[in-house]
Structures are given as structure tokens and as C-alpha cells.
Amino acid sequence: MKLVLAYVLGILILLPVTIFILSFLFFRKLLKKQVNSSFRLAADITTFVLFFSVTISITTLWGATFSIVTISISLLIAMIMTYIDWRTQKEIKVVPLLRRIWRMQFLYLLIVYNIVWIVGIVQSVIFFVT
């Protein structure tokens, strides 16, 4: 049972990369090789999965739950971007603002995801060597 749980968690942790690649290839085929639009749509889909994957990765590696921190930073990014949009434009356009916030969340979560992976690999190597 423990092995099955480990496999399921492993799949959930690797899922964002797989989802990004599959959705990128799907949209590239659907949109007739429009790479920029395909990349954006794949990033939009992957962002949702990254929210869960980052939390699961951190919990798996260190046994601590940082979902509140992840959500708080995401809300802070949204508030800052809304404030900047409010200060620079006369009227806030909600859909473009939400799209920019969502893509910024993708960048933030992708960076955190990569850092967690690198730290996890380094910890595993150190544990294996010692």
C-alpha cells in the first residue's frame, strides 16, 4: 500500500511537465503550428496543476504543509498586479488583468517547482552519498 501511494504521489509531482508537453502538442496541432498561442494555452492549463504539485512536492520532501504560504503569495501577486494596473490605466479591464495574473502565477509556480525539484535532488544525492 505504501508503494502504491508513493507511485501516485510521484505521478502527481511529475504531472505538470507531462500536461504541459501534451497540451502544447495538442494545441500546436489544433492551431496549425501557432507556437506562441499553443505555448500560452499550455501554460494556462499547467498553472492549475502546478498549484497542487508544488504543495505536494514540498509536503513529500519536508513533511511540512506550505499551501497557505503558496496561496498567500499568489494572492499578493494578484493584489500587486491589480494595483499596478489600477495606477497605470484609467479603467481596469478584468479579463486581460486576470490573464496577466494567471500567467504570472505560472512563472511563480514554475520557479518554485524547479527550486523544490533541485533541492530535492541535491538532498537525495547528499543522503545517498553519506
Side-chain angles (χ1 to χ4, degrees), residues 61-106:
L61 282 175
W62 298 296
T65 308
F66 286 103
S67 57
I68 299 296
V69 175
T70 305
I71 292 170
S72 298
I73 292 173
S74 296
L75 288 174
L76 183 65
I77 289 171
M79 289 187 321
I80 290 171
M81 291 187 71
T82 304
Y83 178 75
I84 290 170
D85 201 46
W86 173 67
R87 296 295 287 177
T88 57
Q89 297 180 6
K90 293 180 182 177
E91 185 177 331
I92 295 176
K93 296 176 182 163
V94 177
V95 174
L97 175 64
L98 289 176
R99 189 175 297 127
R100 284 193 303 272
I101 290 170
W102 192 250
R103 295 208 174 120
M104 186 61 75
Q105 297 297 333
F106 173 75

